[in-house]
């Protein structure tokens, strides 16, 4: 997730990922390999869920590096040949890359190697009803229509989010 988020969006996305992680560990025991990536303008993999859940990074936000690192891990370790790959990404929707060119390019490539990509946009109160860069660029890409079985996006107000909304988003 975007570690440069603050406040309620971070809480909502972290809670959602805690729910996903807990369910996967309960349902599949040791048959799941998880990876955790945090980013601001650069992405880094962290060693475990506890670090992921507790750590924040600082600075601006570029979304593409997070997906580029996921792609690099998948390709370098040849994970697609042995694993079903699901990517869960959480953000407040901020992306300094206004046109989303790098982000959309890497999404197009990742779809070839994944079973599903789920994107949650937990919007800040200041963004109101306006679409965020992540929403606009994802919609503009056409992937939500042409690759609907592989990519989904859910958007809601972080301030109004409750447990039911977080679970429905999953």
């Amino acid at each position: 997730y975007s570690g440069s988020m603050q406040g309620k969006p971070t809480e909502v996305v972290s809670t959602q990922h805690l729910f996903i992680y807990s369910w996967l560990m309960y349902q599949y025991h040791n048959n799941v390999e998880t990876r955790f990536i945090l980013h601001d303008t650069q992405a880094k993999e962290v060693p475990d869920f506890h670090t992921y859940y507790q750590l924040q990074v600082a600075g601006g936000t570029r979304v593409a590096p997070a997906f580029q690192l996921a792609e690099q891990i998948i390709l370098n370790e040849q994970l697609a040949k042995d694993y079903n790959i699901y990517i869960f990404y959480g953000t407040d929707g901020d992306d300094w890359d206004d046109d989303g060119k790098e982000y959309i390019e890497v999404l197009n490539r990742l779809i070839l190697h994944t079973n599903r990509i789920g994107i949650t946009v937990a919007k800040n109160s200041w963004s109101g009803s306006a679409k965020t860069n992540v929403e606009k660029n994802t919609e503009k890409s056409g992937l939500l229509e042409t690759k609907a079985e592989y990519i989904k996006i859910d958007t809601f107000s972080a301030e109004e989010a409750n447990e039911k909304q977080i679970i429905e988003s999953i």
Side-chain angles (χ1 to χ4, degrees), residues 24-25 27-33 83:
L24 288 170
M25 292 300 104
Q27 186 71 26
Y28 297 104
H29 307 285
N30 293 324
N31 294 322
V32 175
E33 184 174 328
Y83 294 94

Side-chain angles (χ1 to χ4, degrees), residues 3 7 9 38 47 66 68 80 84-85 91-92 111 113 119 141 151 161 164:
L38 288 173
Q68 289 165 340
N84 293 320
I85 299 172
T91 180
D92 60 4
I111 285 174
H113 306 289
I119 300 169
S141 74
I151 185 167
K164 183 177 186 248

Side-chain angles (χ1 to χ4, degrees), residues 34-87:
T34 56
R35 300 296 181 90
F36 304 98
I37 296 173
L38 288 173
H39 74 92
D40 49 22
T41 57
Q42 297 180 352
K44 66 179 176 180
E45 183 178 4
V46 295
D48 54 44
F49 186 79
H50 178 74
T51 305
Y52 173 79
Y53 190 72
Q54 298 296 322
L55 193 63
Q56 286 190 330
V57 294
T61 302
R62 287 187 58 244
V63 174
F67 287 97
Q68 289 165 340
L69 180 54
E71 178 186 38
Q72 179 184 347
I73 291 167
I74 291 166
L75 295 176
N76 288 350
E77 297 180 24
Q78 300 178 349
L79 297 176
K81 72 178 187 165
D82 295 323
Y83 294 94
N84 293 320
I85 299 172
Y86 296 85
I87 295 176

Side-chain angles (χ1 to χ4, degrees), residues 80-150:
K81 72 178 187 165
D82 295 323
Y83 294 94
N84 293 320
I85 299 172
Y86 296 85
I87 295 176
F88 303 100
Y89 176 70
T91 180
D92 60 4
D94 189 24
D95 188 358
W96 285 3
D97 181 16
D98 288 336
D99 69 2
K101 185 175 184 262
E102 282 183 279
Y103 163 62
I104 297 308
E105 285 175 1
V106 72
L107 272 183
N108 273 299
R109 293 190 309 266
L110 271 173
I111 285 174
L112 303 173
H113 306 289
T114 60
N115 293 72
R116 175 73 55 99
I117 299 172
I119 300 169
T120 297
V121 179
K123 294 172 81 166
N124 284 303
S125 58
W126 50 261
S127 62
S129 62
K131 291 196 183 271
T132 65
N133 280 349
V134 169
E135 291 172 281
K136 287 187 282 190
N137 292 331
T138 306
E139 290 173 8
K140 180 177 69 175
S141 74
L143 291 172
L144 297 172
E145 293 81 28
T146 62
K147 300 293 184 180
E149 65 274 20
Y150 300 106

